[in-house]
Amino acid sequence: DEVVGHHLAHFLHDNYKDILTGDIRELIAEEDILIPVRFVDLSQNQIDAEIGVTILDSGRGQKFMIEARDITAHNRAVTALRQSIENLENRVKERTHALQEEVTERRRAEETLRHVASHDGLTDLPNRALMMDRLEKAISRAKRNRNMCAVLFLDLDGFKTINDTLGHDCGDQVLRVTAARLTACIRDDDTAARFGGDEFILLLSDLNAADDAFPIAEKILTVASQPIETYGHMAHVGVSIGIALYPDHGDTAEGMIKAADKAMYGVKEGGKNNFAIATRPSSDHGTP
């Protein structure tokens, strides 16, 4: 009794009432068309459905039969499937993003480890191993291009006194400041390295003449002599520099460093705070 006699539109959701309030013949302009609608039952439950319209009598009193199929469960399943797909896509995106971050972090960690393995922990300059590698490559390049490269072996004058009187923290600060000053004295393609203790090495690549290294040495002497503030104290150091060139003073990394080191000790013995170029290796090896 609550259903019979009511127009079908009475049970349509408000958003769908216009479908059956107009000319119903428009709904059957195409055969086998199914129209999605939403009904509201007596308990106000919403029911998704598809309706089809069939002509029963095309006479003056045209009559139609409207059939409805409940697709509520189907729509819920489709919605649930769509939501599952969206959730899966979101999880894939999140996982992909997480993997990208993990790869980035792993690469960053690997780069950090490589940097730590090849650089001095105090000054962040290249260490002995990296310097030797770069020097060997510079020698190979100079041999190929028929030009020169230079090694400057530096030892700080007066550094032990700073450590003994002001303490190791002040000594470390002197080393850090000196490292920064040395880096500022060379070109981007050159290398400043801490060789150990208060010893540094500069690698000057692609030189055209031996004289090209002298202005750098003079600049270092001037810069190194400037006072360094260390925790409220003013520290003063000098620098003794030995210079060795390829191919004049050696054709291997070890040979050039040995020659520059020997020249540096000659400066130390001669009064310090200066630079000297290495002597050419003797061609006289003696007789058996």
Side-chain angles (χ1 to χ4, degrees):
D1 293 341
E2 296 180 75
V3 174
V4 175
H6 287 287
H7 193 279
L8 183 60
H10 178 76
F11 300 101
L12 283 176
H13 189 279
D14 290 342
N15 294 341
Y16 293 84
K17 287 187 181 297
D18 292 343
I19 293 178
L20 296 180
T21 55
D23 188 349
I24 198 170
R25 285 173 295 184
E26 295 178 357
L27 301 178
I28 56 175
E30 299 182 17
E31 295 182 358
D32 300 326
I33 185 172
L34 295 175
I35 304 165
V37 297
R38 180 168 294 167
F39 292 111
V40 179
D41 66 13
L42 297 177
S43 300
Q44 299 303 304
N45 298 314
Q46 295 184 12
I47 303 171
D48 292 331
E50 290 178 336
I51 63 173
V53 181
T54 303
I55 301 176
L56 296 179
D57 184 356
S58 58
R60 181 176 180 182
Q62 194 171 30
K63 297 180 180 180
F64 308 93
M65 179 178 70
I66 298 177
E67 297 178 281
R69 180 170 68 93
D70 186 351
I71 60 171
T72 303
H74 170 76
N75 283 358
R76 289 176 179 171
V78 170
T79 300
L81 179 59
R82 185 180 297 113
Q83 186 63 47
S84 296
I85 293 174
E86 290 178 357
N87 291 340
L88 179 59
E89 290 176 346
N90 289 335
R91 286 198 296 269
V92 170
K93 289 179 181 178
E94 291 174 358
R95 182 55 181 161
T96 300
H97 181 68
L99 287 173
Q100 290 174 341
E101 288 186 340
E102 183 178 340
V103 170
T104 301
E105 183 61 30
R106 183 173 298 175
R107 287 176 178 172
R108 188 180 297 115
E110 291 174 352
E111 290 173 0
T112 300
L113 289 175
R114 282 196 294 268
H115 184 85
V116 169
S118 60
H119 287 73
D120 174 57
L122 178 64
T123 63
D124 201 39
L125 292 180
N127 59 17
R128 181 191 297 252
L130 181 56
M131 166 56 73
M132 295 297 287
D133 179 68
R134 291 185 180 180
L135 178 54
E136 289 172 356
K137 291 178 180 177
I139 292 173
S140 297
R141 189 165 59 251
K143 184 182 297 183
R144 183 171 60 252
N145 297 334
R146 296 186 177 182
N147 56 15
M148 308 179 78
C149 64
V151 166
L152 279 64
F153 201 113
L154 290 73
D155 185 87
L156 299 186
D157 301 325
F159 179 75
K160 185 177 184 301
T161 301
I162 293 174
N163 262 346
D164 293 341
T165 59
L166 300 181
H168 289 282
D169 288 341
C170 290
D172 289 347
Q173 180 66 5
V174 168
L175 293 175
R176 283 190 289 264
V177 172
T178 300
R181 290 177 175 179
L182 294 178
T183 301
C185 289
I186 59 177
R187 302 165 299 177
D188 292 340
D189 293 337
D190 299 329
T191 299
R194 185 184 179 199
F195 210 59
D198 60 341
E199 295 178 336
F200 296 86
I201 283 186
L202 300 186
L203 166 61
L204 308 181
S205 303
D206 302 315
L207 302 181
N208 295 317
D211 293 350
D212 293 344
F214 299 160
I216 302 296
E218 292 172 350
K219 185 176 181 180
I220 292 171
L221 290 174
T222 300
V223 170
S225 65
Q226 297 174 1
I228 300 173
E229 183 176 356
T230 59
Y231 304 102
H233 301 280
M234 299 304 294
H236 298 267
V237 294
V239 61
S240 297
I241 306 172
I243 303 173
L245 295 129
Y246 169 87
D248 295 351
H249 309 116
D251 57 3
T252 65
E254 293 82 0
M256 289 185 65
I257 290 176
K258 184 177 180 179
D261 185 25
K262 184 177 180 180
M264 182 271 294
Y265 273 105
V267 174
K268 287 277 191 184
E269 294 173 355
K272 303 181 180 180
N273 199 37
N274 205 341
F275 72 88
I277 191 166
T279 57
R280 293 178 180 272
S282 174
S283 58
D284 181 10
H285 298 287
T287 57

